[in-house]
Amino acid sequence: MTALVEVENLVKHYPIRSGIVFRHDVGAVRAVDGISFDLEQGETFALVGESGCGKSTTARAVLRLIEPTSGSIRFEGEDITTAGASRLRALRREMQMIFQDPFASLNPRMTVRGILREPFTIHGLDADGKVEALLNMVGLLPEHAGRYPHEFSGGQRQRVGIARALALNPKLIVCDEPVSALDVSIRAQVINLLEDLQAQLKLTYLFIAHDLSVVRHIADRVAVMYLGTIVETAPTDDLFERPSHPYTQALISAVPVPDPNRERARRRILVSGDVPSPVNPPSGCRFRTRCPKFANELTEAQQQRCIDEPPALVDRGEGHPSACHYAEARELV
Amino acid sequence: MTDQAVPAAPPVGEVTLEAGASGFGGAETQAAAVGGITRQTQFGNVRRRFLRNKLAVVGLVMLTIVFVTAVFAPIIATHPPRAQDLNITLQGPSAQHWFGTDELGRDVFSRVVHGTRIAVTVGLASIFLALVIGVVLGSVSGYLGRAWDALIMRIADVFFAFPLIIGAIMIILVVGRGVAPVIIALGLFSWATIARLLRSSILSIRESEYVEAARSLGASKWRIVTRHVLPNSMAPVLVYAMVSVAAAIVAQASLSYLGVGVPPDVPDWGNMISSGQKFFGFKDYLWFFPSMAVVFTVLGFVFVGDGLRDALDPRLR
Amino acid sequence: MTEPLLSIEDLRVHFHTDAGVVKAVDGVSWSIGPGETLGIVGESGSGKSVSALAVMGLVEVPPARYESGRILFKGRDLLTADDKERRAIRGKEISMIFQDPLTALNPVFRVGHQIAEVIQAHEKMGRIAARAKAVDLLGEVGIPNPRQRAREYPHQFSGGMRQRAMIAMALALDPLVLLADEPTTALDVTVQAQIMDLLIRLQADRGTAIVLITHDLGLVAGHADRVLVMYAGKVAELGTIDDVYYRPRHPYTLGLLKSLARMDQRRSDRLQPIVGQPPSLIRVPPGCPFNPRCPFATDICRQEMPPLEPKDGPDHLAACHHSDQLALQQSPAAS
């Protein structure tokens, strides 16, 4: 296995400007603050976290839909952070995106045929017969081509979105919460389709999600994000069976499972309060302000370390990297 | 307060949302899923909603009458509009002269009919000009943003600050009277609102996921604007333009009334009202019929514009 | 079961729209006793929220029409009661919280003021006393610095805090029944856990009955006593959570449980989806509405709507012609 994508020290800050005549920066929203990860060829790598953790910004920066503030993104060894406009256009064929909201990601005034022909038109390719082949690939019928998006259900629209992403035969597909807007009974259909396509077309997925149940099913490896940084990363079963960062533990313990007996037996690790502002993240460990371990288990001297020293994302003997000075694996599910 | 009891304001939309989520939107959807029992295109939906609005249909009928009159004016008119006959000046309405004659013995009915041509031409042409300017500047401002946006919006502010009539008079004072100067003057002072409307519409559309999807496919800015952004942001602009035509017709008549519009010999409603007012109180038919023509035409455009707005955006009902 | 506090009997709420008649709720019955939690589960467009909205009188008539049914609170029918009586019950005895607290809180009034207003509308209490009670309530729902936060506006609150404020408002008059419509759907999962924890604690303190309306089968498994599964405006299954999750007798329930990805299990080879799409409420298939998607469907399912009948025991109801066949299936929830 070789790395298809290597992300190194990626940073995205949105400046906050003030003043009307003399515009000047008064601070920055630190949406993504120095994260690194690799995507292996053919795997599904999931970025999970709650709203505002920077996972969507990361996804868009990987596709260069957003210009990163610093750091590098290499695609097949080539640094694409510095790629010019024409190189970028060529790269667009290699990496595509599936969006969250199938009601917002399709132009309401274009037919499905128009939507699926567009990738070919943009890149000056022959689209003959391609639309039907794509529809077939995602489980729709050729006669659907003449219809408008509003004539389809959510699940069918998401299939159209998937077909569009597949049109140019990309190697990498970024899936941004691809099933979270779908009805429960439709999700499994779309997840199965994504898995089938991956096997068939040797796709690599960067899977952005907040729903840990879907992630557990679909991902090979997972990285958990909190306030713009990765706090823990591991192969999927490892992460769910032996989470070692207190945030990962809280996240896993908070997800309800559809099994009354298990629910009765589980204990919840509750975190207090809300996510702090990414403009002014806490010093040291960013999670310490809400961390149940910090509040209940650590001595004052230990707490001081959390306040002073940002924990590195390294393996502290738990079998996988975790950004907690006092990482300790726990069994929660 | 009847519902003080309820701790939460009733989310009016919510009811239809839950019931309708798969109800309204899903109606067509389901048909599509089982093989297309009924297919409803977006255009079909808009047309259906428009035609169900009684006032809109009345407006449509009124506009049809206006346009037919404008196109077939020479056939409909009973007399040549400029033919003077000093033997029959200031005669009241009769079988011969339906709307009477003016102080030069010209047939008022025929002049009202021919006035339709000027009104419709000036109204449509000036707003077309305003649309061209407004759409180009609005798109640049909304999509390119930054310095372009700041510059264009400040220029728009300046044009917006002038009352339409005053601005138009200034232009006409510079370039002289005539039909073309009136069109240019009204167009120049009507684009600002169109540009602003389009800009704000574009600002929301450009953040949409389908625009992001187009960007991720590598689409050029030109393609994104013309294929994705403009088609989805034009609806409010077109509705506004429809109502603007009415405003332009009123402005055009006002300019003539003030004596700075089209030349006085041209059969024009504003001119007719202006010269008719001298006989206010005893020859009222002279200003009454052209005034009614203005009201009729303006209401037609307003009714159709309102109907179109409601049909395009059912949430406003 | 003890005497129900609130019960809905054969409720039919139909919306008359341009496209046709939306049968949002079509013959639904449920009831809830003191201190109990009833989960109502369904997908968007299943009509799961409509019966609760009808209880609160939040269904607009027209476009809606009540074709049949009664809404009984302590034996009084809310649909036929006079305005004064209804007002006395809604808001005081029964209150509701929503998915999006921002639409429910008035943006131009301070949070504390809004809560105090609700109290004063129902109880003879001075302004100062009502304000003080509002501050107490905000503290009780876990808002830090309640005295200061009471003077803030809704937009100054985070999503989780707003939901807490709305709960405080809903509980201001100590209602007997709280209708919670997707109360945590807009929230992050750790905040969801906080809010559910709060609801359970308040329920234990006050003995409030909670109707938890959600699409999340996990949430119901963790928090409800009984669950009502809705499909296309009708009740598919009703029973205790153990009955419904471990011994489902309706193919839709079974299908849903089978199709879920589970966080607590190692990756299965493939998910087993329910085929097809949920129906439009305007064109509900004849017979059993689930029949086009049902692996057990036979001719009778296409012709006759199965009645909601007791299966196994008197409290486990399912509307399926073939629920006997389902009894032989192993439930995926059993682990």
Side-chain angles (χ1 to χ4, degrees):
Chain A
M1 293 243 272
T2 52
L4 180 71
V5 179
E6 297 151 89
V7 174
E8 215 178 294
N9 221 357
L10 181 71
V11 174
K12 177 64 189 179
H13 290 179
Y14 291 97
I16 303 168
R17 296 209 165 90
S18 181
I20 296 162
V21 183
F22 301 102
R23 309 273 284 171
H24 57 282
D25 292 3
V26 292
V29 176
R30 299 154 76 134
V32 177
D33 220 7
I35 68 168
S36 307
F37 60 88
D38 291 350
L39 287 184
E40 305 292 337
Q41 197 93 49
E43 77 167 341
T44 300
F45 182 73
L47 279 180
V48 305
E50 298 179 286
S51 44
C53 71
K55 56 189 193 295
S56 284
T57 307
T58 306
R60 281 163 176 77
V62 167
L63 293 180
R64 270 201 62 195
L65 289 171
I66 288 175
E67 292 299 324
T69 306
S70 68
S72 78
I73 295 153
R74 281 190 296 280
F75 185 82
E76 295 186 311
E78 173 194 352
D79 188 346
I80 63 166
T81 27
T82 53
S86 65
R87 178 71 195 124
L88 199 57
R89 246 172 75 84
L91 278 166
R92 296 269 176 243
R93 294 174 60 174
E94 310 280 343
M95 36 200 214
Q96 276 302 311
M97 182 151 176
I98 296 168
F99 294 86
Q100 170 175 4
D101 185 352
F103 289 87
S105 62
L106 305 175
N107 185 337
R109 289 180 201 274
M110 286 170 92
T111 59
V112 166
R113 178 175 290 108
I115 288 166
L116 295 182
R117 285 183 76 97
E118 188 168 36
F120 300 101
T121 317
I122 288 169
H123 291 276
L125 303 169
D126 181 19
D128 279 353
K130 295 284 175 53
V131 170
E132 289 70 23
L134 284 168
L135 286 174
N136 185 35
M137 200 183 270
V138 296
L140 294 172
L141 302 170
E143 58 260 38
H144 286 144
R147 302 211 174 137
Y148 286 90
H150 76 275
E151 298 179 66
F152 293 94
S153 67
Q156 291 172 316
R157 282 169 171 231
Q158 196 56 300
R159 288 172 191 265
V160 175
I162 293 170
R164 173 178 59 193
L166 293 173
L168 298 170
N169 209 1
K171 293 181 176 132
L172 168 70
I173 294 189
V174 172
C175 309
D176 184 14
E177 306 261 13
V179 297
S180 57
L182 302 180
D183 263 328
V184 187
S185 76
I186 304 300
R187 282 184 193 174
Q189 297 177 3
V190 173
I191 292 170
N192 281 351
L193 173 66
L194 288 173
E195 289 185 329
D196 293 345
L197 291 169
Q198 179 171 45
Q200 207 179 320
L201 304 169
K202 310 267 178 293
L203 296 167
T204 304
Y205 287 150
L206 175 58
F207 199 91
I208 311 298
H210 68 272
D211 182 347
L212 293 185
S213 310
V214 171
V215 167
R216 172 116 206 213
H217 176 79
I218 204 168
D220 297 306
R221 289 190 303 133
V222 183
V224 180
M225 287 186 73
Y226 183 79
L227 261 189
T229 59
I230 292 178
V231 296
E232 184 164 7
T233 177
T236 305
D237 286 337
D238 218 22
L239 187 97
F240 282 93
E241 280 158 22
R242 292 185 299 116
S244 70
H245 193 285
Y247 178 64
T248 315
Q249 292 165 356
L251 208 53
I252 289 174
S253 87
V255 178
V257 295
D259 184 338
N261 284 333
R262 283 229 173 168
E263 279 293 302
R264 281 188 277 263
R266 283 175 79 193
R267 65 200 166 100
R268 293 236 139 74
I269 300 174
L270 285 184
V271 299
S272 55
D274 292 311
V275 183
S277 156
V279 178
N280 244 327
S283 68
C285 170
R286 293 183 175 201
F287 185 57
R288 68 175 165 81
T289 51
R290 301 174 73 202
C291 180
K293 187 166 202 160
F294 180 90
N296 306 324
E297 294 170 34
L298 299 186
T299 66
E300 224 166 275
Q302 287 174 315
Q303 287 181 341
Q304 198 55 46
R305 191 170 172 215
C306 299
I307 296 170
D308 295 338
E309 187 189 328
L313 181 65
V314 291
D315 188 351
R316 291 181 176 80
E318 305 303 319
H320 59 258
S322 166
C324 174
H325 293 305
Y326 309 104
E328 190 184 2
R330 275 187 201 182
E331 204 180 312
L332 291 163
V333 288
Chain B
M1 284 293 280
T2 48
D3 264 348
Q4 275 264 339
V6 181
V12 177
E14 211 112 309
V15 179
T16 31
L17 263 184
E18 226 294 309
S22 179
F24 304 115
E28 302 94 315
T29 297
Q30 193 50 26
V34 295
I37 302 163
T38 50
R39 284 202 50 207
Q40 291 174 323
T41 59
Q42 266 169 321
F43 178 69
N45 280 334
V46 170
R47 193 178 54 190
R48 193 166 44 82
R49 282 197 295 265
F50 184 88
L51 292 179
R52 228 194 18 226
N53 182 339
K54 287 197 187 72
L55 215 49
V57 175
V58 169
L60 198 63
V61 172
M62 290 164 78
L63 282 193
T64 311
I65 294 172
V66 169
F67 281 107
V68 168
T69 309
V71 171
F72 299 105
I75 298 169
I76 295 169
T78 49
H79 297 77
R82 294 174 205 231
Q84 302 180 4
D85 185 346
L86 296 175
N87 296 322
I88 49 162
T89 58
L90 295 173
Q91 293 192 345
S94 63
Q96 192 75 48
H97 300 283
W98 297 346
F99 291 178
T101 59
D102 66 6
E103 74 264 39
L104 295 174
R106 294 175 298 197
D107 180 51
V108 175
F109 174 74
S110 302
R111 288 178 71 77
V112 168
V113 166
H114 276 268
T116 314
R117 290 190 150 185
I118 301 289
V120 169
T121 309
V122 171
L124 290 183
S126 61
I127 297 306
F128 180 76
L129 177 67
L131 264 178
V132 171
I133 303 173
V135 167
V136 169
L137 294 184
S139 323
V140 170
S141 183
Y143 197 76
L144 295 185
R146 293 167 194 266
W148 285 107
D149 185 29
L151 179 70
I152 290 170
M153 281 302 116
R154 291 304 79 76
I155 297 173
D157 287 346
V158 172
F159 277 90
F160 191 71
F162 277 98
L164 180 59
I165 298 285
I166 310 257
I169 289 175
M170 283 166 35
I171 303 250
I172 289 163
L173 288 180
V174 175
V175 298
R177 291 177 68 169
V179 175
V182 169
I183 291 173
I184 291 168
L186 292 179
L188 270 183
F189 282 91
S190 301
W191 66 268
T193 308
I194 289 175
R196 279 162 176 247
L197 262 179
L198 185 64
R199 171 181 174 270
S200 64
S201 178
I202 284 177
L203 285 181
S204 66
I205 299 287
R206 62 179 255 183
E207 299 302 325
S208 68
E209 286 197 339
Y210 56 83
V211 168
E212 199 173 25
R215 289 213 297 135
S216 75
L217 287 168
S220 62
K221 279 199 170 115
W222 173 253
R223 188 181 178 87
I224 289 173
V225 171
T226 55
R227 283 305 191 84
H228 297 283
V229 177
L230 278 184
N232 287 294
S233 31
M234 282 301 284
V237 172
L238 291 177
V239 169
Y240 175 78
M242 201 74 195
V243 179
S244 297
V245 173
I249 288 172
V250 172
Q252 189 272 134
S254 307
L255 288 174
S256 303
Y257 176 83
L258 294 171
V260 289
V262 295
D265 61 313
V266 175
D268 168 82
W269 297 339
N271 284 341
M272 294 170 76
I273 297 169
S274 172
S275 59
Q277 70 168 347
K278 294 193 293 264
F279 305 98
F280 186 85
F282 56 103
K283 297 285 179 191
D284 287 327
Y285 63 89
L286 284 178
W287 56 265
F288 178 76
F289 289 111
S291 302
M292 283 302 108
V294 174
V295 170
F296 187 85
T297 309
V298 164
L299 283 183
F301 277 103
V302 171
F303 288 164
V304 170
D306 279 356
L308 212 53
R309 185 195 58 211
D310 294 348
L312 286 169
D313 193 351
R315 278 167 305 166
L316 290 175
R317 277 184 305 158
Chain C
M1 211 171 58
T2 53
E3 181 71 3
L5 202 54
L6 173 66
S7 61
I8 308 270
E9 288 176 7
D10 192 36
L11 186 69
R12 280 171 219 273
V13 183
H14 295 179
F15 290 82
H16 294 261
T17 71
D18 306 349
V21 179
V22 177
K23 297 180 178 175
V25 169
D26 202 26
V28 166
S29 306
W30 52 261
S31 65
I32 186 164
E36 194 192 10
T37 302
L38 171 72
I40 299 185
V41 180
E43 300 177 83
S44 58
S46 63
K48 63 180 182 295
S49 306
V50 179
S51 55
L53 292 168
V55 171
M56 294 306 289
L58 295 178
V59 175
E60 272 191 277
V61 182
R65 223 157 69 188
Y66 290 95
E67 306 289 341
S68 76
R70 299 198 296 170
I71 297 174
L72 297 174
F73 179 73
K74 288 183 171 171
R76 285 290 299 145
D77 185 355
L78 290 181
L79 291 179
T80 56
D82 60 40
D83 266 6
K84 198 173 155 225
E85 200 171 355
R86 276 194 259 200
R87 272 206 304 277
I89 293 171
R90 290 171 180 157
K92 176 157 172 53
E93 308 277 10
I94 309 172
S95 61
M96 187 158 180
I97 57 177
F98 299 93
Q99 173 174 344
D100 183 1
L102 209 50
T103 57
L105 292 168
N106 189 332
V108 301
F109 291 114
R110 297 171 200 274
V111 172
H113 171 81
Q114 296 188 48
I115 298 175
E117 230 186 16
V118 171
I119 298 169
Q120 283 184 289
H122 285 276
E123 282 176 15
K124 280 200 179 3
M125 195 184 263
R127 227 178 56 191
I128 297 171
R131 291 279 168 99
K133 187 168 179 195
V135 171
D136 289 347
L137 281 162
L138 288 174
E140 200 179 335
V141 296
I143 290 180
N145 267 328
R147 188 169 292 279
Q148 188 203 326
R149 299 305 295 247
R151 286 198 292 270
E152 292 182 354
Y153 293 92
H155 73 252
Q156 292 170 288
F157 281 46
S158 70
M161 286 294 162
R162 263 181 232 136
Q163 195 58 276
R164 284 173 194 268
M166 190 156 70
I167 291 170
M169 195 187 289
L171 295 180
L173 299 159
D174 240 328
L176 295 170
V177 182
L178 177 67
L179 307 169
D181 188 5
E182 303 263 13
T184 58
T185 305
L187 306 174
D188 278 322
V189 63
T190 58
V191 182
Q192 165 174 293
Q194 293 171 3
I195 296 292
M196 290 314 296
D197 184 59
L198 171 69
L199 283 178
I200 291 162
R201 208 158 37 73
L202 294 170
Q203 182 176 38
D205 290 352
R206 299 160 174 248
T208 317
I210 296 180
V211 179
L212 178 64
I213 302 161
T214 177
H215 64 275
D216 187 339
L217 283 163
L219 209 57
V220 168
H223 301 291
D225 302 308
R226 290 187 303 132
V227 58
L228 176 83
V229 181
M230 284 198 63
Y231 187 79
K234 297 186 168 73
V235 178
E237 188 160 5
L238 172 66
T240 64
I241 50 171
D242 286 359
D243 274 345
V244 172
Y245 282 74
Y246 298 131
R247 293 171 289 281
R249 300 298 293 272
H250 195 286
Y252 175 62
T253 317
L254 180 68
L256 273 185
L257 290 167
K258 272 184 170 173
S259 75
L260 289 178
R262 296 244 328 231
M263 190 204 61
D264 57 339
Q265 286 169 359
R266 283 198 171 225
R267 177 185 182 125
S268 52
D269 285 345
R270 243 178 110 77
L271 298 175
Q272 298 172 48
I274 300 177
V275 296
Q277 315 283 336
S280 150
L281 290 174
I282 294 178
R283 283 186 213 88
V284 177
C288 169
F290 189 60
N291 83 69
R293 307 176 73 188
C294 181
F296 300 94
T298 57
D299 283 342
I300 187 169
C301 304
R302 288 180 271 275
Q303 287 150 11
E304 234 175 81
M305 172 65 201
L308 187 67
E309 286 173 339
K311 316 278 169 175
D312 305 331
D315 292 335
H316 186 189
L317 310 177
C320 178
H321 292 300
H322 300 295
S323 51
D324 294 343
Q325 272 177 274
L326 266 80
L328 307 172
Q329 295 250 333
Q330 163 77 20
S331 165
S335 44

